[in-house]
PDB file of all heavy atoms in Angstrom:
ATOM      1  N   GLU A 157     116.005 103.289 135.970  1.00 96.00           N
ATOM      2  CA  GLU A 157     115.508 104.505 135.329  1.00 96.00           C
ATOM      3  C   GLU A 157     114.172 104.176 134.752  1.00 96.00           C
ATOM      4  O   GLU A 157     113.834 103.120 134.351  1.00 96.00           O
ATOM      5  CB  GLU A 157     116.484 104.983 134.264  1.00 96.00           C
ATOM      6  CG  GLU A 157     117.866 105.384 134.799  1.00 96.00           C
ATOM      7  CD  GLU A 157     118.755 105.922 133.704  1.00 96.00           C
ATOM      8  OE1 GLU A 157     118.807 105.358 132.615  1.00 96.00           O
ATOM      9  OE2 GLU A 157     119.504 106.879 133.959  1.00 96.00           O
ATOM     10  N   LEU A 158     113.343 105.323 134.753  1.00 97.00           N
ATOM     11  CA  LEU A 158     112.015 105.182 134.117  1.00 97.00           C
ATOM     12  C   LEU A 158     112.065 106.098 132.864  1.00 97.00           C
ATOM     13  O   LEU A 158     112.281 107.260 132.950  1.00 97.00           O
ATOM     14  CB  LEU A 158     110.926 105.643 135.049  1.00 97.00           C
ATOM     15  CG  LEU A 158     110.752 104.774 136.299  1.00 97.00           C
ATOM     16  CD1 LEU A 158     109.699 105.422 137.321  1.00 97.00           C
ATOM     17  CD2 LEU A 158     110.234 103.370 135.911  1.00 97.00           C
ATOM     18  N   VAL A 159     111.776 105.446 131.782  1.00 97.00           N
ATOM     19  CA  VAL A 159     111.893 106.101 130.360  1.00 97.00           C
ATOM     20  C   VAL A 159     110.550 106.163 129.754  1.00 97.00           C
ATOM     21  O   VAL A 159     109.805 105.139 129.796  1.00 97.00           O
ATOM     22  CB  VAL A 159     112.854 105.304 129.504  1.00 97.00           C
ATOM     23  CG1 VAL A 159     113.032 106.040 128.235  1.00 97.00           C
ATOM     24  CG2 VAL A 159     114.219 105.203 130.216  1.00 97.00           C
ATOM     25  N   PRO A 160     110.108 107.321 129.181  1.00 97.00           N
ATOM     26  CA  PRO A 160     108.920 107.254 128.369  1.00 97.00           C
ATOM     27  C   PRO A 160     108.918 106.154 127.312  1.00 97.00           C
ATOM     28  O   PRO A 160     109.893 106.076 126.554  1.00 97.00           O
ATOM     29  CB  PRO A 160     108.856 108.680 127.743  1.00 97.00           C
ATOM     30  CG  PRO A 160     109.641 109.495 128.701  1.00 97.00           C
ATOM     31  CD  PRO A 160     110.726 108.636 129.246  1.00 97.00           C
ATOM     32  N   ARG A 161     107.893 105.276 127.323  1.00 96.00           N
ATOM     33  CA  ARG A 161     107.964 104.118 126.511  1.00 96.00           C
ATOM     34  C   ARG A 161     108.196 104.417 124.991  1.00 96.00           C
ATOM     35  O   ARG A 161     108.960 103.720 124.298  1.00 96.00           O
ATOM     36  CB  ARG A 161     106.748 103.247 126.684  1.00 96.00           C
ATOM     37  CG  ARG A 161     106.768 101.926 126.030  1.00 96.00           C
ATOM     38  CD  ARG A 161     105.690 100.988 126.497  1.00 96.00           C
ATOM     39  NE  ARG A 161     105.894 100.556 127.902  1.00 96.00           N
ATOM     40  CZ  ARG A 161     106.581  99.536 128.195  1.00 96.00           C
ATOM     41  NH1 ARG A 161     107.165  98.788 127.281  1.00 96.00           N
ATOM     42  NH2 ARG A 161     106.701  99.222 129.458  1.00 96.00           N
ATOM     43  N   GLN A 162     107.638 105.455 124.513  1.00 96.00           N
ATOM     44  CA  GLN A 162     107.763 105.812 123.150  1.00 96.00           C
ATOM     45  C   GLN A 162     109.218 106.334 122.840  1.00 96.00           C
ATOM     46  O   GLN A 162     109.563 106.389 121.662  1.00 96.00           O
ATOM     47  CB  GLN A 162     106.754 106.921 122.702  1.00 96.00           C
ATOM     48  CG  GLN A 162     106.963 108.285 123.326  1.00 96.00           C
ATOM     49  CD  GLN A 162     106.285 108.420 124.678  1.00 96.00           C
ATOM     50  OE1 GLN A 162     105.990 107.459 125.319  1.00 96.00           O
ATOM     51  NE2 GLN A 162     106.077 109.657 124.997  1.00 96.00           N
ATOM     52  N   GLN A 163     109.985 106.600 123.852  1.00 97.00           N
ATOM     53  CA  GLN A 163     111.309 107.064 123.656  1.00 97.00           C
ATOM     54  C   GLN A 163     112.386 106.036 123.932  1.00 97.00           C
ATOM     55  O   GLN A 163     113.540 106.258 124.005  1.00 97.00           O
ATOM     56  CB  GLN A 163     111.615 108.275 124.609  1.00 97.00           C
ATOM     57  CG  GLN A 163     110.764 109.469 124.307  1.00 97.00           C
ATOM     58  CD  GLN A 163     111.010 110.650 125.251  1.00 97.00           C
ATOM     59  OE1 GLN A 163     112.092 110.653 125.978  1.00 97.00           O
ATOM     60  NE2 GLN A 163     110.088 111.561 125.315  1.00 97.00           N
ATOM     61  N   LEU A 164     111.924 104.736 124.126  1.00 97.00           N
ATOM     62  CA  LEU A 164     112.836 103.653 124.456  1.00 97.00           C
ATOM     63  C   LEU A 164     113.917 103.432 123.408  1.00 97.00           C
ATOM     64  O   LEU A 164     115.122 103.191 123.724  1.00 97.00           O
ATOM     65  CB  LEU A 164     112.028 102.369 124.704  1.00 97.00           C
ATOM     66  CG  LEU A 164     112.760 101.259 125.353  1.00 97.00           C
ATOM     67  CD1 LEU A 164     113.310 101.635 126.690  1.00 97.00           C
ATOM     68  CD2 LEU A 164     111.856 100.057 125.530  1.00 97.00           C
ATOM     69  N   ALA A 165     113.518 103.486 122.177  1.00 96.00           N
ATOM     70  CA  ALA A 165     114.537 103.286 121.037  1.00 96.00           C
ATOM     71  C   ALA A 165     115.551 104.314 121.080  1.00 96.00           C
ATOM     72  O   ALA A 165     116.763 104.129 120.973  1.00 96.00           O
ATOM     73  CB  ALA A 165     113.873 103.128 119.721  1.00 96.00           C
ATOM     74  N   ALA A 166     115.203 105.614 121.287  1.00 97.00           N
ATOM     75  CA  ALA A 166     116.129 106.711 121.278  1.00 97.00           C
ATOM     76  C   ALA A 166     117.015 106.650 122.587  1.00 97.00           C
ATOM     77  O   ALA A 166     118.183 106.911 122.442  1.00 97.00           O
ATOM     78  CB  ALA A 166     115.343 107.984 121.320  1.00 97.00           C
ATOM     79  N   TYR A 167     116.470 106.194 123.642  1.00 97.00           N
ATOM     80  CA  TYR A 167     117.240 105.992 124.882  1.00 97.00           C
ATOM     81  C   TYR A 167     118.310 104.955 124.613  1.00 97.00           C
ATOM     82  O   TYR A 167     119.412 105.158 124.999  1.00 97.00           O
ATOM     83  CB  TYR A 167     116.242 105.575 126.014  1.00 97.00           C
ATOM     84  CG  TYR A 167     116.972 105.059 127.228  1.00 97.00           C
ATOM     85  CD1 TYR A 167     117.298 105.942 128.324  1.00 97.00           C
ATOM     86  CD2 TYR A 167     117.461 103.809 127.469  1.00 97.00           C
ATOM     87  CE1 TYR A 167     117.918 105.604 129.477  1.00 97.00           C
ATOM     88  CE2 TYR A 167     118.053 103.374 128.597  1.00 97.00           C
ATOM     89  CZ  TYR A 167     118.308 104.276 129.577  1.00 97.00           C
ATOM     90  OH  TYR A 167     118.950 103.853 130.719  1.00 97.00           O
ATOM     91  N   ALA A 168     117.924 103.837 123.943  1.00 96.00           N
ATOM     92  CA  ALA A 168     118.921 102.744 123.707  1.00 96.00           C
ATOM     93  C   ALA A 168     120.088 103.253 122.813  1.00 96.00           C
ATOM     94  O   ALA A 168     121.263 102.877 123.066  1.00 96.00           O
ATOM     95  CB  ALA A 168     118.197 101.588 123.031  1.00 96.00           C
ATOM     96  N   ALA A 169     119.705 104.100 121.832  1.00 95.00           N
ATOM     97  CA  ALA A 169     120.781 104.609 120.933  1.00 95.00           C
ATOM     98  C   ALA A 169     121.817 105.485 121.724  1.00 95.00           C
ATOM     99  O   ALA A 169     122.940 105.471 121.433  1.00 95.00           O
ATOM    100  CB  ALA A 169     120.113 105.426 119.785  1.00 95.00           C
ATOM    101  N   ALA A 170     121.249 106.183 122.776  1.00 94.00           N
ATOM    102  CA  ALA A 170     122.184 107.078 123.550  1.00 94.00           C
ATOM    103  C   ALA A 170     122.843 106.380 124.649  1.00 94.00           C
ATOM    104  O   ALA A 170     123.967 106.725 125.034  1.00 94.00           O
ATOM    105  CB  ALA A 170     121.319 108.278 124.042  1.00 94.00           C
ATOM    106  N   ALA A 171     122.190 105.341 125.229  1.00 92.00           N
ATOM    107  CA  ALA A 171     122.797 104.733 126.451  1.00 92.00           C
ATOM    108  C   ALA A 171     123.537 103.470 126.230  1.00 92.00           C
ATOM    109  O   ALA A 171     124.136 102.904 127.143  1.00 92.00           O
ATOM    110  CB  ALA A 171     121.576 104.442 127.396  1.00 92.00           C
ATOM    111  N   GLY A 172     123.607 102.947 125.008  1.00 83.00           N
ATOM    112  CA  GLY A 172     124.166 101.663 124.652  1.00 83.00           C
ATOM    113  C   GLY A 172     125.572 101.497 125.200  1.00 83.00           C
ATOM    114  O   GLY A 172     126.205 102.390 125.735  1.00 83.00           O
ATOM    115  N   PRO A 173     126.136 100.274 125.068  1.00 95.00           N
ATOM    116  CA  PRO A 173     125.468  99.122 124.392  1.00 95.00           C
ATOM    117  C   PRO A 173     124.378  98.449 125.199  1.00 95.00           C
ATOM    118  O   PRO A 173     124.491  98.460 126.444  1.00 95.00           O
ATOM    119  CB  PRO A 173     126.721  98.246 124.137  1.00 95.00           C
ATOM    120  CG  PRO A 173     127.597  98.520 125.355  1.00 95.00           C
ATOM    121  CD  PRO A 173     127.467 100.003 125.523  1.00 95.00           C
TER     122      PRO A 173
END
Side-chain angles (χ1 to χ4, degrees):
E157 295 181 321
L158 295 173
V159 180
R161 187 166 291 273
Q162 69 272 19
Q163 298 178 17
L164 191 57
Y167 172 93

